[in-house]
Amino acid sequence: MNEIKTELLVQDLTKEFESGSESLPILSGINLKMNEGNALAVTGPSGSGKSTLLYIIGTLESPTSGTVTISGENPFEKNETELALFRNQSIGFIFQDHHLLPQCNVLENVLLPTLAADQQSAEQEETARQFLDRVGLSHRLTHRPSRLSGGERQRVAVCRALINNPSIILADEPTGNLDQKSANEIGSLLLELCEEQKKILVCVTHSLELAGRFPQKVELTTGTFQSPVFS
Ligand SMILES: Nc1ncnc2c1ncn2[C@@H]1O[C@H](COP(=O)(O)OP(=O)(O)O)[C@@H](O)[C@H]1O
Ligand SMILES: [Mg+2]
C-alpha cells in the first residue's frame, strides 16, 4: 500500500477583512509548498498578518481567494463537522499563551484533543506519558498548569499538539513569553520533532534567534513573502 505523503500547498492566497464598508487587505500572493520534515519560520512586524496566515493554514479562518491544499484535500470544501474532525486529526496548534485548561492536570491536558474523536484509549494515554517523559515532565503528570513554569507549560502544550499525530504543526510565537533558556529548549524540541516525526512545521516568531535556527525562513512584509524553496 502506498502511504500518502503529507504536503501543504498554498496557492495565490489572499485575505481581506471587512471593516465597515471598506475591505482591509492583509495577505496577497502567498504561495507555499512544504513536504513532510520541512520547517519554516515566519517573521514580520506586528500586524503584518502572521497569525492570520497561520489560522488560514490551520483551517480556522478561510481565505478570501486562493487555495490551501493539505495532502491533496481542500479543507474548505468540507462541512463544519468534517472540518472540525480534519483539524483535530491533521493539525497541531501551539500558541504564545499555552491555552492549557487550569482545572485539568498535565496528563489530562495532553489528552484533551483525543476526546473529540471519541476514541480515547489506553494506548493514547501511554503515548501521552511517553511524550511527557520525552520533554522531561513525567514527574509532573498529576500537577495542574498553575504549578508549572512557563517553559514547562509550553512543553505540555507541545505534547498536546502532537497527541493525535497530526501531520502539520503550527506555532504562533511559541516562545514569546519565555526566558531565553526555555525559549531555546522549546525551539530545539519543535525542530527535533519536525525532523524525527516528519512533520510540517510552520512557526511564527518575533525572535530572529529562533528564526535563524530554521532551515528556511520568510519575512512577511506588505502582506506577502517570497516563496521559500525546500530541498
Ligand atoms: N477578525 C479580524 N477582523 C478584522 N481585522 C483583523 C481580524 N484579525 C486580524 N485583523 C487585522 O489583520 C491584521 C493582521 O493581524 P495578525 O494576523 O494578527 O498580525 P500579526 O500576527 O502579524 O501581528 C491586523 O491589522 C489586525 O488588526
Ligand atoms: Mg500574531
Side-chain angles (χ1 to χ4, degrees):
M1 201 173 78
N2 282 338
E3 269 207 23
I4 298 171
K5 290 233 178 195
T6 307
E7 184 192 64
L8 168 66
L9 195 58
V10 178
Q11 288 173 298
D12 300 326
L13 181 123
T14 70
K15 180 68 183 178
E16 295 170 7
F17 285 114
E18 301 302 322
S19 140
S21 59
E22 311 236 312
S23 74
L24 190 66
I26 305 295
L27 301 171
S28 67
I30 303 269
N31 287 286
L32 182 62
K33 184 175 187 294
M34 295 177 73
N35 291 306
E36 49 187 45
N38 289 161
L40 177 70
V42 180
T43 61
S46 186
S48 58
K50 303 181 299 296
S51 294
T52 303
L53 175 63
L54 217 54
Y55 291 174
I56 294 174
I57 294 173
T59 77
L60 289 165
E61 279 276 1
S62 52
T64 301
S65 67
T67 54
V68 176
T69 313
I70 296 173
S71 302
E73 285 195 276
N74 177 349
F76 297 107
E77 286 173 349
K78 295 177 184 295
N79 70 33
E80 222 169 285
T81 313
E82 290 168 346
L83 182 60
L85 185 63
F86 176 83
R87 191 185 302 130
N88 177 261
Q89 300 292 302
S90 309
I91 296 173
F93 279 101
I94 300 154
F95 300 93
Q96 178 168 352
D97 294 309
H98 49 86
H99 290 200
L100 300 177
L101 290 186
Q103 67 273 34
C104 292
N105 69 29
V106 163
L107 183 61
E108 289 162 349
N109 264 289
V110 173
L111 284 167
L112 279 174
T114 67
L115 299 175
D118 196 22
Q119 48 168 256
Q120 199 165 18
S121 62
E123 199 182 320
Q124 281 167 322
E125 183 171 328
E126 182 51 31
T127 306
R129 286 173 186 275
Q130 283 171 8
F131 274 133
L132 285 161
D133 189 35
R134 158 86 191 253
V135 302
L137 289 175
S138 51
H139 59 305
R140 302 288 231 152
L141 300 182
T142 58
H143 291 192
R144 301 264 171 97
S146 59
R147 297 187 52 197
L148 306 181
S149 71
E152 287 170 335
R153 286 180 200 146
Q154 251 345 21
R155 282 188 259 157
V156 178
V158 171
C159 295
R160 182 187 52 186
L162 288 163
I163 190 69
N164 279 343
N165 194 24
S167 44
I168 299 181
I169 303 290
L170 303 175
D172 195 358
E173 314 252 14
T175 65
N177 286 344
L178 302 181
D179 59 74
Q180 197 59 52
K181 181 169 175 285
S182 305
N184 284 340
E185 284 170 6
I186 291 293
S188 302
L189 179 64
L190 288 173
L191 285 164
E192 272 167 36
L193 289 166
C194 171
E195 177 157 353
E196 179 189 301
Q197 301 190 9
K198 298 281 170 256
K199 306 292 186 195
I200 288 174
L201 170 64
V202 182
C203 178
V204 163
T205 181
H206 264 114
S207 162
L208 294 181
E209 189 176 337
L210 176 60
R213 294 172 59 193
F214 277 65
Q216 289 283 355
K217 52 183 184 292
V218 291
E219 189 181 359
L220 198 50
T221 46
T222 61
T224 197
F225 53 64
Q226 199 174 355
S227 306
V229 178
F230 291 92
S231 51

